[in-house]
Structures are given as C-alpha cells and as structure tokens.
Amino acid sequence: MHHQKEHRCDVLIVGSGAAGLSLALQLAQDLSVIVLSKGPLREGSTLYAQGGIAAVFDENDSIASHVNDTLIAGAGLCEDAAVQFTAENAKTAMEWLIDQGVPFDQYRDDDGVLKYHLTREGGHSHRRILHAADATGRAVQITLVDQVRRHPNIRLLENYNAIDLITDAKLGNEGNKCHGAYVWNRDNEQVEVIAARFVALATGGASKVYLYTSNPDVASGDGIAMAWRAGCRVANMEFNQFHPTSLYHPDAQNYLITEAMRGEGAYLKRPDGTRFMPDFDERAELAPRDIVARAIDFEMKRLGVACVYLDISHQPKDFIIEHFPTIYAKCLSVGIDITKQPIPVVPAAHYTCGGVMTNLNGQTDIPNLYAIGEVAYTGLHGANRMASNSLLECVVFAQSAARNILQQWPTSTATPQLPAWDESRVSNSDEEVVITHNWHELRMFMWDFVGIVRTTKRLERALHRVELLQREIQEYYRHFRVSNNLLELRNLTMVAELIIKSAMRRKESRGLHYTLDYPEQAAHSSPTILKPE
C-alpha cells in the first residue's frame, strides 16, 4: 500500500466560493489556511450569481426596513436575531468586498458625487442591491480568487473532494472535536489526510439533487451530508428555493435569468402572449420567488406546455443591453434576441434555505467545526430566501466566523496524529453504469415527488425510493474505491432523505414548502430540526 500524504494547517476550509474565500482572507494574516476546492478554484455557485448583494447604502433606506423585508419573505420562520445581525453587518461586509477590489457599478449624481448604483429585486421595499452589471457573483469570485492566489499563508488544493470529517468519535476518543478531514485527490485518485485545528464547511447547497437546477455540477450537498454523518443537527431542509426563471433551451442548461430583469420591468407571459402574474398576486412579477415559481408551475401544468416566457422587449434596446449584457450575449448565442423576442423559461432548483445548524459565529454542534454560506442554517432565510441575501450571508458570516476562530486560537490544542484511510479491502468498480443510473433516478424522482408542489403520497414514494438507493450505494461504497460520482451520489442521497423527512414533518404550506394535503399556513410554526441518531 502506498504511503498516504498528510497535510497540516491551522484552518481547513472546504469550499472556494464567496464564503470560503472571504473566510480564508480574513484568517490568513495570522494563521495558515488550506482551501479545498472540488473543481477549479473559480467554479461554484458564487460565479453564477447574477443579481447582486443587499445592503443599506441609500439614505432613504434603513436597516429596520431590510430586516422587515427579510422577515416578510421568510414567511414567519426567520430567526429575528440572525436577520438583525446580518442586516446590521451588511454595509461593513460590502465595504470589505469593495476594499478587496470588487467593481460594483457606480454613477455620478446631479452634484457630480460618485455613488453606488442600487437596483431593486422582488421582496425588497427599496433599491438596496449593489451589483456589477448582471454578473455580480463573477465579479466577487474573480476578485477573491485573485487575492487568495497572491496570499503566502493560503494553500489552494484544487480538484479535491472532501470525503468525511475526522472527529474524536471517529478516532475513538472522548469528546467530539473535529480534527480535519479525509480528502480525495481527483488528479491522482488517491485519498489524503488533512489535519487542522479548525475546519470550516463552505460547500454551498444541494440543488443538484433535482433534475433541473441553476447550480453548477459541484452543488451536491457534500458539507451537509458530512456534517450530518459527524453528528451535527440540520434544520429547514424542506425549504428548497426554485428560481422561477431558468433559460429553457437544450444548448444552455443551468442558465439563470436574473430576477433583476423583472425588477426592471420584464413581464411573464403564456405562449399566447398574455400575462398571468397579476392573476396570482397583486405584486405581479415582483412577488417573492416561491409565489412566482408556483404560478409558473401551475400555468405549465394547466396548459400542458414545456415553458413560459419572460419578455423585456418593450424596453429600449440600449437600456436592455446596458443592464443585462451577459444575458443578452448568452441568449443571442442560442438564437434569441431579447431586445425583440421573449425568453423561454422554466423554474429550476436554485437555493437550499436549510442546512447545518450554526450560531451567529458559524459554530456547529461539533467543537472546532464551522459552517458558513449556503451549507449553513443560520435562521436568516426562514421559509424563503429573499433575493440577494445569499452572497451577503456568505461574507457577513465569514467575518463573524473569522473573529471567533481568532478568539479561540490561543486556547486551542494541537491536532493529534490522524490515522490513514484504509483502502486495503476495496477494488476498482467495473460498474460505473450503476452509479450513473442511480444518479439519474434520484434527480428524477426528487423533481417529480419533492419539487415545487408536494403531496404526502409523493413524499412517501420518494422516501421509499431513497432508502432503497441508499442500501445499494452503501454496499457499493464499502466494496469499491471512491470516485467523484460515488462520493457525490452518497452525499446527495443522504441530503435527499433529509429533505424528504423534513417535508413530511411539516403539516402546513409555508414559504417554499407547498403541499396539496395541507394547503393552509398553520397559526404557529417553528423550524424543522433533525438530529442524527
């Protein structure tokens, strides 16, 4: 057996989006950091985030208003302290991003003063969205990647999957601190060990569990599954946000059409050209995402059509191209001129509102283990995430986690010697087709049975299927060497089970969870918390 490679650092950060890289940069002045990235460093959900980041920069706006809008969007399930904390720290977080060099759009007012251009999105009562044209996430990601690549205290391990966390329980010790992780080097297909005094999960969400998703391939719920296996509680996993408008075209899968387009006057239309959102909500196209996604789902099922249409062609051509250059170019590349034609759209799984339970410092149930960004449940989003609070959460909680880790650092203890990964009893699989088949089946039944509209019967059916799949995968996992597809499938089936069980517990319709069996909202409600046995 080959000698296994061991890496050592002060802090291991699993994930390289806005949350992970922000945390790395804030710790690296004082500590040695390893950032683990499943693919190339730039790849991840942050890169594809279009709309922007919410923060109070306008003198007519207020933190109280940002808090109130978030609470309304969260449908009564937000945790007030988390919402207040995030809104209060939003401006500082944005100023930090500006200091890093993120080029948010600016303009000169009538007095010639340079100001940030603020846009408005669904659920917001004011213009408070900082943005970089219609590719804000890309601007944030590229800026942060440039910074971490230059930092001498940050080591970047690209093309690595995290397999499992290493805790005291795993080592057979007293207590349950986290000491590092087993990771899989995708380039040489070897398992390696990373020992760290602190570990932070910044792995993003789990939307890849669904057939149609706006997320990149890496969004496979790895952090949620690893934390659950290690003994962390999860909360609100039933609340999956479906972005109402993903481009429906065979040559452009996973491509999102930003909500800001509706903010700037685009209409949703049936194939016959008539608008339908005013029939569902007085806010029409600016209603919260869950209402818009359900309306589209309803119209598609009622009419038996494959998509609906988003139309901004009534606006001036120059206005459209200036505000939405990326979308204009992308649609043009598949033969759609958005200045003249409507865009075919369908809803797609977009954001995981639940996740690993943390406090306001990003600390999980396991000492020395943190979770920040979409992987975490902080209580900010409640039953529905308001637009542009997600990148905000990444940076705000990266800052609070960094402060907490630096406070804990002087009293933290050295990492024990960690055992090597045992590969002595496994062999290479000659049946990759089994994994591919299971993968497709999982995403298909999650879309059909645990999607935008649910029923108890559909959920029971999905649970039965996922339990069968898990047995098959467990068998596979024990006997064959790890691979990217096997690791992701193992994590996604676990996350699917958590989503289904959480949905079965909620006997009401609220926010993103809508069930035909309990269409009303209950008078009293609380977060759905699942605890490992």
Side-chain angles (χ1 to χ4, degrees), residues 132-144:
D134 60 348
T136 309
R138 173 173 284 274
V140 169
Q141 186 71 9
I142 288 172
T143 303
L144 295 180

Side-chain angles (χ1 to χ4, degrees), residues 297-333:
D297 186 66
F298 180 86
E299 287 294 309
M300 282 168 57
K301 284 175 177 162
R302 183 177 73 82
L303 298 169
V305 294
C307 65
V308 295
Y309 294 87
L310 185 67
D311 192 358
I312 197 167
S313 63
H314 52 276
Q315 296 282 35
K317 181 174 181 175
D318 292 348
F319 173 89
I320 296 169
I321 295 171
E322 182 195 343
H323 279 76
F324 306 108
T326 318
I327 295 172
Y328 173 71
K330 179 70 175 183
C331 289
L332 213 52
S333 75

Side-chain angles (χ1 to χ4, degrees), residues 9 23-24 76 86 105 149 156 177 182 186 203 211-212 221 232 259 266 287 312 341-342 375 386 413 426 468 521:
C9 61
L23 179 61
T86 307
D105 284 9
R149 284 209 188 281
L156 305 168
K177 270 186 189 166
Y182 290 113
R186 293 168 71 158
T203 52
L211 188 60
Y212 298 111
C232 291
E259 186 149 4
I312 197 167
Q341 298 162 273
V375 67
M386 188 168 67
T413 52
V426 298
L468 286 175
Q521 196 166 295

Side-chain angles (χ1 to χ4, degrees), residues 185-359:
N185 182 333
R186 293 168 71 158
D187 293 333
N188 66 15
E189 301 194 346
Q190 304 291 349
V191 177
E192 299 172 9
V193 186
I194 302 179
R197 289 198 192 188
F198 297 92
V199 176
L201 298 171
T203 52
S207 287
K208 202 176 169 185
V209 77
Y210 288 103
L211 188 60
Y212 298 111
T213 172
S214 64
N215 286 195
D217 272 352
V218 291
S220 54
D222 304 328
I224 296 170
M226 285 193 298
W228 175 260
R229 285 195 292 268
C232 291
R233 290 170 301 160
V234 299
N236 279 10
M237 289 299 295
E238 70 271 37
F239 296 114
N240 294 279
Q241 192 170 67
F242 290 84
H243 195 287
T245 54
S246 176
L247 178 61
Y248 180 72
H249 194 282
D251 298 335
Q253 289 171 329
N254 300 11
Y255 192 75
L256 210 63
I257 307 296
T258 175
E259 186 149 4
M261 192 172 275
R262 300 201 305 284
E264 297 296 348
Y267 296 132
L268 278 162
K269 295 180 175 179
R270 303 178 181 97
D272 67 1
T274 57
R275 285 177 68 193
F276 58 86
M277 276 315 300
D279 301 346
F280 289 88
D281 194 283
E282 62 189 18
R283 291 164 290 188
E285 278 79 7
L286 286 178
R289 289 177 175 182
D290 56 323
I291 293 170
V292 179
R294 269 203 304 282
I296 295 171
D297 186 66
F298 180 86
E299 287 294 309
M300 282 168 57
K301 284 175 177 162
R302 183 177 73 82
L303 298 169
V305 294
C307 65
V308 295
Y309 294 87
L310 185 67
D311 192 358
I312 197 167
S313 63
H314 52 276
Q315 296 282 35
K317 181 174 181 175
D318 292 348
F319 173 89
I320 296 169
I321 295 171
E322 182 195 343
H323 279 76
F324 306 108
T326 318
I327 295 172
Y328 173 71
K330 179 70 175 183
C331 289
L332 213 52
S333 75
V334 295
I336 302 163
D337 182 347
I338 68 172
T339 65
K340 297 175 184 164
Q341 298 162 273
I343 307 165
V345 293
V346 289
H350 180 58
Y351 191 85
T352 309
C353 286
V356 182
M357 290 185 76
T358 72
N359 63 13

Side-chain angles (χ1 to χ4, degrees), residues 27 91 161 164 167 256 281 330 338 340 409-410 453 465:
L27 291 171
K91 191 171 184 184
N161 289 57
D164 267 320
T167 59
L256 210 63
D281 194 283
K330 179 70 175 183
I338 68 172
K340 297 175 184 164
W409 177 253
V453 176
R465 292 297 315 131

Side-chain angles (χ1 to χ4, degrees), residues 10-29:
D10 297 330
V11 186
L12 165 63
I13 299 170
V14 185
S16 60
L21 298 185
S22 296
L23 179 61
L25 287 167
Q26 302 201 38
L27 291 171
Q29 293 308 109

